[in-house]
Amino acid sequence: MDKRKVAVPLVCHGHSRPVVDLFYSPVTPDGFFLISASKDSSPMLRNGETGDWIGTFEGHKGAVWSCCLDTNALRAASGSADFTARIWDALTGDELHSFEHKHIVRACAFSEDTHLLLTGGVEKVLRIFDLNRPDAPPREVDKSPGSIRTVAWLHSDQTILSSCTDIGGVRLWDVRSGKIVQTLETKSSVTSAEVSQDGRYITTADGSSVKFWDANHFGLVRSFNMPCVVESASLEPKLGNKFIAGGEDMWIRLFDFHTGEEIACNKGHHGPVHCVRFSPGGESYASGSEDGTIRIWQTMYHEENDASSANGLTGNGKVKVTADEATRKIEGFQITKDKTTEEKEEATDAA
């Protein structure tokens, strides 16, 4: 059996039911933030670095399947089984608007310019809401071939990505025409689709494979078979030399992007892993599970392994994480204890 350093994650409690979606904001003047969606109907906002709870968005009447933050982390969005997608003030926790649907909303995403909200779900309809005119009827894109599982924007909001729960493939839609312009073929349904921070790659998880696609020319760049059925995958955003995947075996695995070689395997969850996401600087990654917890894992390695990974080599790939290091502040982001306490109290008052 391979010898591995034991990774010690930050464990974030609070949800009473499975965590099904996670989303990191970009880095803002106040740091970066993590929002989580859960079947307990209450999305939660956290400090992305420490995992500290900031506030809970209260109002949904059914499981929340999807969540996201806008570019400045000033607004949050969530999609729910109560047939609504909602916009929230991420500073106060107040509900800003509720968009009614005719069935379960499984996915939502802010446009890059933050003016639009894209939603999709069991209705098989992609809708675009104008957040500058929230009472106006949404624009409906051509009917999806299946129940929508994931959505995303790319190409400076000119293209929409969607995948379905009941059929394979990823569809790329032209926003202007509302038509499918390309389909990325997969054997199994795509349960996770992520556009890389630099816009170069689309990372998908389907069945027991993780695939990387050219986001501009739509060709398949790499495909790796996983040790189990995976539900989610995420590419390291800074160097793009590693990726993570999690699924039914409850492990969060770290791989080399160039070779597919497993670098680390982290155990801690007590149920299948539904979602994994890298933080915006790649210093850590979060996982959400059927067990109702979020775990934040530090991405730390020997310097020589980091250097070799950047050249496509993994070296020994040993994880170097201790309990003390797991709580270390990420360089460049400072927040005082008093401020954190104050924010929690404000969020509680708002709720």
Side-chain angles (χ1 to χ4, degrees):
M1 183 176 179
D2 293 340
K3 292 182 179 179
R4 293 188 178 94
K5 299 266 185 179
V6 177
V8 181
L10 301 172
V11 183
C12 306
H13 298 282
H15 285 297
S16 59
R17 297 201 62 205
V19 177
V20 292
D21 194 24
L22 296 169
F23 184 94
Y24 274 107
S25 76
V27 177
T28 74
D30 296 315
F32 61 95
F33 302 89
L34 175 66
I35 188 172
S36 55
S38 168
K39 292 182 181 180
D40 66 8
S41 79
S42 299
M44 290 188 179
L45 184 67
R46 299 178 185 274
N47 179 313
E49 176 202 358
T50 64
D52 287 343
W53 176 85
I54 294 173
T56 300
F57 302 105
E58 297 183 345
H60 279 298
K61 306 300 181 185
V64 176
W65 287 105
S66 179
C67 59
C68 57
L69 293 162
D70 69 11
T71 304
N72 300 310
L74 297 177
R75 291 176 299 178
S78 53
S80 172
D82 65 6
F83 296 12
T84 69
R86 303 190 188 208
I87 303 292
W88 313 85
D89 186 317
L91 300 179
T92 66
D94 294 335
E95 181 182 308
L96 299 177
H97 205 83
S98 178
F99 297 113
E100 298 294 328
H101 292 66
K102 296 177 183 177
H103 215 306
I104 294 169
V105 182
R106 283 298 303 263
C108 61
F110 282 106
S111 60
E112 187 178 321
D113 66 10
T114 74
H115 297 315
L116 305 173
L117 181 73
L118 171 66
T119 67
V122 177
E123 276 185 271
K124 304 181 181 180
V125 176
L126 289 165
R127 290 186 173 89
I128 301 174
F129 295 89
D130 185 343
L131 300 182
N132 295 320
R133 299 186 303 134
D135 294 323
R139 178 185 171 191
E140 294 188 359
V141 180
D142 218 9
K143 193 173 179 66
S144 168
S147 176
I148 297 164
R149 174 69 179 265
T150 67
V151 297
W153 298 85
L154 64 162
H155 302 155
S156 299
D157 302 330
Q158 297 303 305
T159 306
I160 287 171
L161 173 159
S162 72
S163 71
C164 301
T165 58
D166 39 7
I167 56 175
V170 172
R171 278 142 208 93
L172 286 308
W173 307 73
D174 179 78
V175 172
R176 288 167 296 182
S177 68
K179 302 294 184 181
I180 296 173
V181 294
Q182 186 81 25
T183 299
L184 312 181
E185 299 291 348
T186 63
K187 291 181 180 179
S188 303
S189 62
V190 172
T191 52
S192 170
E194 175 191 74
V195 180
S196 64
Q197 194 166 278
D198 61 8
R200 291 179 61 194
Y201 298 110
I202 299 168
T203 304
T204 62
D206 70 288
S208 57
S209 74
V210 172
K211 295 180 173 66
F212 299 93
W213 310 81
D214 186 312
N216 296 304
H217 304 290
F218 306 127
L220 180 62
V221 179
R222 286 178 175 80
S223 179
F224 299 115
N225 292 324
M226 298 288 104
C228 71
V229 173
V230 293
E231 194 167 338
S232 184
S234 182
L235 180 65
E236 193 279 327
K238 198 169 185 181
L239 299 174
N241 56 6
K242 295 181 282 286
F243 69 94
I244 48 174
E248 65 178 18
D249 70 352
M250 300 182 281
W251 293 75
I252 298 91
R253 301 173 190 271
L254 182 70
F255 298 91
D256 182 278
F257 170 77
H258 302 280
T259 66
E261 182 180 347
E262 185 179 303
I263 300 171
C265 189
N266 299 322
K267 181 68 182 293
H269 285 295
H270 302 288
V273 175
H274 295 309
C275 188
V276 292
R277 286 291 178 262
F278 262 105
S279 66
E283 300 93 341
S284 61
Y285 48 95
S287 55
S289 168
E290 183 74 16
D291 65 15
T293 67
I294 300 163
R295 293 171 191 257
I296 298 176
W297 313 80
Q298 300 301 308
T299 313
M300 298 183 195
Y301 307 96
H302 299 291
E303 288 185 7
E304 60 268 24
N305 286 343
D306 266 342
S308 61
S309 292
N311 293 321
L313 303 172
T314 58
N316 293 325
K318 292 182 179 178
V319 181
K320 185 183 179 182
V321 180
T322 66
D324 291 336
E325 288 172 327
T327 58
R328 182 179 64 87
K329 292 286 185 184
I330 293 176
E331 183 180 356
F333 176 53
Q334 300 293 328
I335 184 166
T336 65
K337 185 177 181 181
D338 290 340
K339 183 179 178 183
T340 305
T341 303
E342 181 182 335
E343 287 175 347
K344 287 183 180 179
E345 291 173 351
E346 290 175 356
T348 302
D349 292 341

